[in-house]
Amino acid sequence: MTLSSTGFDRVRTLLRRRPSVAWRRFLAISLALLAVLLTFWPDVGHPAVVASRDLPAGVSLSSADVRLVTLAAPVSGSFPGVDAVVGRTLNGAARSGVPLTDFDLAGAPDDLVSVAVRVPDQGLAGVVRMGDRVDVVSPSAEVLAENASVRETRGQVVVLTLPRLNANRVAAMSLDHALAVTLR
């Protein structure tokens, strides 16, 4: 049997041939070894801080209240180390073994504070969700804060976490004017 001159015809002819017994055995052994290897392959996982027992709201966390576990999938907003949560206060009750996130804890880092902003447009307030990143804009189109994190939404009120300097400007401006938020 002669091979044709084009590359496509050569490949097609080679694929029509039946693989030899030795090749099939080699392939079967390789697949079996791969299966055994994958069975014992370590799963590194994703570290997350969880409550070591059921905790009520308002508890100041100590190292005895939390522990570090490895999860199969990452949890958005979780903490990779216990040191990041010790000394912070729980916003709500926490169940044992449930990952703690930045929204579960009060007392953001010293340079960040939360401020409530009333959004005049009910439609926009309904679109904004916890964890979204937004910019706060004044009626004169001045950007008062960039990349603020949405901590909570209640009706037309959106609670944002942003740097202290920007939070003071946003709070002062919101007393006299309706502010807008733009989604990132």
Side-chain angles (χ1 to χ4, degrees), residues 43-50 68-75 78-80 99:
D43 181 19
V44 176
H46 302 275
V49 175
V50 298
L68 191 63
V69 298
T70 302
L71 302 174
V75 175
S78 65
F79 299 95

Side-chain angles (χ1 to χ4, degrees), residues 14 36-37 56 95 106 111 118 130 145 165 182:
L14 287 174
V36 169
L37 177 69
R95 302 290 269 160
D111 60 334
R118 180 174 298 279
M130 276 187 1
L165 178 63
T182 59

Side-chain angles (χ1 to χ4, degrees), residues 76 102-103 128-134 148-153:
S76 179
D102 52 354
F103 291 116
V128 177
R129 300 278 182 247
M130 276 187 1
D132 285 349
R133 301 300 243 174
V134 298
S149 175
V150 176
R151 182 178 177 91
E152 186 177 349
T153 59

Side-chain angles (χ1 to χ4, degrees), residues 8 28 33 37 44 55 60 63 73 83 95 99 104 108 110 130 139 142 144-145 159 171:
F8 177 74
L33 287 174
L37 177 69
V44 176
L55 299 169
S60 180
S63 58
D83 295 338
R95 302 290 269 160
D104 295 326
D110 293 337
M130 276 187 1
E142 176 188 3
L144 300 174
V159 180

Side-chain angles (χ1 to χ4, degrees), residues 76-181:
S76 179
S78 65
F79 299 95
V82 173
D83 295 338
V85 300
V86 171
R88 295 186 60 186
T89 306
L90 279 175
N91 282 337
R95 302 290 269 160
S96 176
V98 175
L100 298 175
T101 65
D102 52 354
F103 291 116
D104 295 326
L105 303 177
D110 293 337
D111 60 334
L112 296 178
V113 295
S114 294
V115 64
V117 175
R118 180 174 298 279
V119 180
D121 183 9
Q122 179 66 36
L124 177 61
V127 172
V128 177
R129 300 278 182 247
M130 276 187 1
D132 285 349
R133 301 300 243 174
V134 298
D135 295 339
V136 182
V137 183
S138 72
S140 63
E142 176 188 3
V143 177
L144 300 174
E146 292 181 345
N147 202 21
S149 175
V150 176
R151 182 178 177 91
E152 186 177 349
T153 59
R154 298 245 172 124
Q156 288 182 271
V157 176
V158 178
V159 180
L160 304 172
T161 301
L162 47 126
R164 183 177 304 280
L165 178 63
N166 293 18
N168 292 339
R169 290 179 59 210
V170 168
M173 185 70 78
S174 69
L175 294 174
D176 298 327
H177 306 286
L179 301 177
V181 294

